[in-house]
Amino acid sequence: MNETMLAGRLDVGTGTFEVKEVPVPVPGPGFVRVKVQAAGVCLSDVHLIQGLLKPMHLQGDEVTLGHEVSGSVDLTGDGVEGWTTGDRVVLQAGYEYRGVTLTMGVDYDGGWAEYVVVPAGVLVPLSAGFSYEQAAIIPDAVSTPWASIVSTGRVRPAEAVGVWGVGGLGAHGVQLLRMIGAAPIVAVDPLPEARERALAFGADVALDPLADDFAASMAAATAGRGLDVAFDFAGVDAVRAQAVACLGRQGRLVLVGLSGTPITISDSTAFSYTRKQVRGHYGSEAHHVPELVALTELGRLDFSRSISDTLPLRDAATAVERLERKEGNPIRLVLVP
């Protein structure tokens, strides 16, 4: 095989991103080299390039981006058992090493490349008919809202749930909430296209947060009880304030979107009196991706509508610009080497 490959590399010091030739990685003991078939473009990748997010455990100044990856096993390192060349896989977005969680495409080289090397333990098998493009977005774009719903939010059937931000995470959040029986599902987004998407994905009501009658519309949607659970998928301070105000007694706000700014409770006495809660959420756990793969293979989930477009790996910078500008209001753009 060629000794070099294309990879989308970020210099975290200068913020320079470039698709360039780099050496093909070789798997060490316990690691596997995967031939990348598809890799999702996430807003976190945009934030890394912008410098809003910084790797915490990166060795060196450069990293290959990409934490949503599917492909096929290409080469196994010493000691790896149970995997053979050609096996179809999707990769967990990270792993724990000596008590530290390392994220692919952030703390070590990710999948915006022709090949990626990962620990064998992050591989999740895919059936022969599973779309590589749909599989690639399950880690993060789908597993993050799934984990926030079933683990952090602990949503139960027939609970009233609000979803703020119907982008790459929120759109899947609506779909997943519908599957587990949340009702009503109230989607909140200032963009008309996003509200239409929310209704298509299973929301019962879609509201404009800037509308004069927003509070009355939310009260009508929840029969005056308020929300049992609210999800902030946007990471915006104004969203959090509005979502807290929409919670009913013992309602819980789950923070999925990251803002990096302080959380302010305007009326802490009322917040305590009504026993509301704020819960932080980040990523997903190891069992969530296999759960979602199984649910998709059984026909419970379909992510074909989530792939807004595919682009060749060499056009990764274009994909980043399109996502940053929200051109076409994409759910997920996918790179194909």
Side-chain angles (χ1 to χ4, degrees):
M1 64 177 295
N2 294 332
E3 295 183 356
T4 63
M5 66 176 187
L6 283 179
R9 301 281 288 175
L10 172 65
D11 186 315
V12 297
T14 65
T16 303
F17 174 77
E18 180 185 4
V19 177
K20 60 183 181 181
E21 293 281 342
V22 300
V24 174
V26 178
F31 282 69
V32 175
R33 185 168 69 205
V34 172
K35 179 176 175 58
V36 176
Q37 300 291 343
V41 181
C42 175
L43 196 58
S44 296
D45 298 309
V46 177
H47 290 164
L48 282 164
I49 293 173
Q50 294 173 333
L52 299 178
L53 293 178
K54 295 286 188 181
M56 296 179 63
H57 308 290
L58 177 65
Q59 301 296 313
D61 297 323
E62 284 195 6
V63 65
T64 300
L65 298 181
H67 55 274
E68 298 180 341
V69 186
S70 66
S72 56
V73 172
D74 180 68
L75 181 67
T76 57
D78 292 342
V80 174
E81 298 180 352
W83 298 101
T84 59
T85 301
D87 286 346
R88 308 175 86 243
V89 293
V90 62
L91 312 185
Q92 301 271 12
Y95 67 102
E96 188 171 306
Y97 179 70
R98 294 182 177 177
V100 174
T101 298
L102 302 177
T103 302
M104 179 169 57
V106 180
D107 300 310
Y108 62 98
D109 287 341
W112 287 11
E114 295 179 74
Y115 296 90
V116 62
V117 166
V118 294
V122 308
L123 304 184
V124 178
L126 297 175
S127 61
F130 208 121
S131 160
Y132 279 124
E133 288 79 8
Q134 292 185 45
I137 69 170
I138 288 178
D140 193 18
V142 185
S143 66
T144 292
W146 176 246
S148 73
I149 290 166
V150 299
S151 293
T152 303
R154 297 190 179 278
V155 177
R156 297 183 294 273
E159 284 195 309
V161 180
V163 173
W164 270 259
V166 193
L169 296 177
H172 294 122
V174 168
Q175 186 178 2
L176 296 165
L177 286 163
R178 182 85 180 191
M179 184 186 69
I180 68 169
I185 301 169
V186 183
V188 184
D189 199 292
L191 297 177
E193 302 88 348
R195 295 197 297 272
E196 292 174 9
R197 170 196 293 161
L199 294 171
F201 274 54
D204 298 289
V205 180
L207 302 179
D208 181 350
L210 305 178
D212 292 338
D213 63 347
F214 174 82
S217 298
M218 179 64 76
T222 62
R225 296 185 300 106
L227 297 169
D228 296 299
V229 192
F231 289 90
D232 169 21
F233 288 112
V236 177
D237 295 339
V239 161
R240 296 170 174 182
Q242 188 177 61
V244 167
C246 293
L247 292 175
R249 290 186 63 84
Q250 299 185 14
R252 47 214 189 268
L253 169 62
V254 181
L255 306 180
V256 185
L258 305 176
S259 73
T261 58
I263 299 169
T264 301
I265 304 298
S266 59
D267 188 343
S268 59
T269 300
F271 183 87
S272 296
Y273 180 75
T274 52
R275 290 183 285 172
K276 296 178 182 180
Q277 302 175 30
V278 177
R279 301 181 181 183
H281 180 81
Y282 185 81
S284 60
E285 299 172 42
H287 59 93
H288 289 124
V289 170
E291 288 173 356
L292 291 161
V293 168
L295 287 166
T296 306
E297 290 180 332
L298 288 168
R300 302 294 196 275
L301 295 168
D302 178 9
F303 302 121
S304 58
R305 294 177 296 176
S306 301
I307 311 302
S308 302
D309 199 2
T310 58
L311 296 86
L313 172 62
R314 64 179 64 254
D315 292 340
T318 299
V320 169
E321 291 173 3
R322 285 176 57 179
L323 185 59
E324 184 178 2
R325 297 196 307 264
K326 296 185 176 0
E327 182 181 317
N329 195 22
I331 300 177
R332 265 301 184 266
L333 301 174
V334 173
L335 301 175
V336 179

